[in-house]
Amino acid sequence: MDEIVRQAVARAIVTMRDNLGERLTIDDLARAAMFSKFHFTRVFLRVTGLSPGRFLSALRLAEAKRLLATTVISVADISHQVGYNSVGTFSARFSGSVGVSPSGYRHLHGAAPRIADRQAPGSGATVRGQLRVSCPADVGPVFVGLFAARIAEGAPARYAILPAPGPYALADVPQGSWYVLTHAYGTTPLDNHGLRPFTGLTGPVTVQHGVTASLADVRLRPRHGFDPPVLLALPDLRQAAVARPLAS
């Protein structure tokens, strides 16, 4: 990836993070990136996999998740802090992306006991592959799910939680085009300060009538600032990783 493009997108993301409660336009973000707004939108999508507007919305909801799980600030105040004028709109967006209401997320302390997948008829097809790690690391458990876009939000079409990287199989997948997204925590030999998040993505994988299996290998790597946040409420993978025996 061109370093100038990386720096431009990074400036735009910093502007988003620093102004989550403000009304930001594409013009504002393009100025921060020092690109024309038309060129900026194209390169932002290429680097992050999402449009600037959708990435900003994801950052706002991720910050709302953090505030709900770690503070006693009211839901109404949080919604305004992350840029929503209407608490009702905020609650609807949050519930649709996270899978639980803001008050429910706070009650769960940020960790869902279970995940409801998309209520869609299956095709009988299986999406399978290998989860591999891009660098020497001890990683797991690993969430792997199928989503309609390159972001883990809303109900996955199908999902599994594996104890560690390795083979996976998601059965009876609905017809459509799906991205395979993964999320986990782990450590590398250079990590002296605890766990770091890992992610992986491949796709889209198209499941059509008559297809019995699709292969989709995924390479997990440490997350970086160009990755959109995980919005779907997941079980506490971090705590499970802490409790996991170290690989011998």
Side-chain angles (χ1 to χ4, degrees):
M1 188 188 307
D2 185 277
E3 187 59 28
I4 293 176
V5 169
R6 289 175 61 91
Q7 291 178 6
V9 172
R11 287 193 297 271
I13 292 174
V14 168
T15 299
M16 292 178 185
R17 292 186 184 277
D18 289 346
N19 298 276
L20 292 178
E22 304 300 321
R23 182 179 177 273
L24 289 174
T25 67
I26 291 295
D27 288 327
D28 296 327
L29 297 173
R31 276 194 296 271
M34 294 187 286
F35 279 174
S36 74
K37 68 178 180 179
F38 302 107
H39 186 49
F40 166 70
T41 299
R42 288 195 299 271
V43 299
F44 192 96
L45 180 63
R46 176 159 57 90
V47 172
T48 68
L50 298 179
S51 69
R54 192 162 187 187
F55 198 98
L56 174 59
S57 177
L59 291 181
R60 285 172 166 158
L61 292 177
E63 175 64 4
K65 287 175 63 179
R66 187 189 71 80
L67 292 172
L68 286 165
T70 61
T71 75
V72 295
I73 302 172
S74 71
V75 171
D77 285 344
I78 289 173
S79 71
H80 292 305
Q81 283 192 34
V82 298
Y84 286 85
N85 294 323
S86 164
V87 179
T89 299
F90 165 72
S91 295
R93 295 270 178 86
F94 188 96
S95 300
S97 293
V98 179
V100 64
S101 69
S103 58
Y105 187 80
R106 169 167 278 167
H107 179 72
L108 293 170
H109 304 290
R114 64 183 184 84
I115 303 168
D117 59 15
R118 185 175 300 207
Q119 298 300 304
S123 66
T126 297
V127 174
R128 66 174 76 247
Q130 289 281 339
L131 304 183
R132 298 184 176 91
V133 184
S134 64
C135 58
D138 183 29
V139 177
V142 184
F143 167 83
V144 51
L146 298 178
F147 294 88
R150 299 166 64 99
I151 179 172
E153 72 171 335
R158 297 292 184 266
Y159 79 93
I161 297 178
L162 308 180
Y168 77 92
L170 303 174
D172 201 26
V173 174
Q175 293 186 45
S177 291
W178 309 105
Y179 290 92
V180 183
L181 284 158
T182 63
H183 181 62
Y185 290 93
T187 58
T188 73
L190 299 178
D191 290 327
N192 298 318
H193 304 288
L195 298 171
R196 69 166 72 185
F198 280 70
T199 190
L201 177 147
T202 193
V205 178
T206 301
V207 175
Q208 299 175 327
H209 180 72
V211 173
T212 57
S214 296
L215 298 179
D217 291 343
V218 185
R219 188 168 296 276
L220 286 85
R221 56 166 176 77
R223 288 181 62 86
H224 53 56
F226 298 130
D227 293 316
V230 174
L231 296 183
L232 176 65
L234 298 175
D236 195 346
L237 300 178
R238 181 189 293 270
Q239 186 61 38
V242 169
R244 180 170 174 262
L246 291 176
S248 57

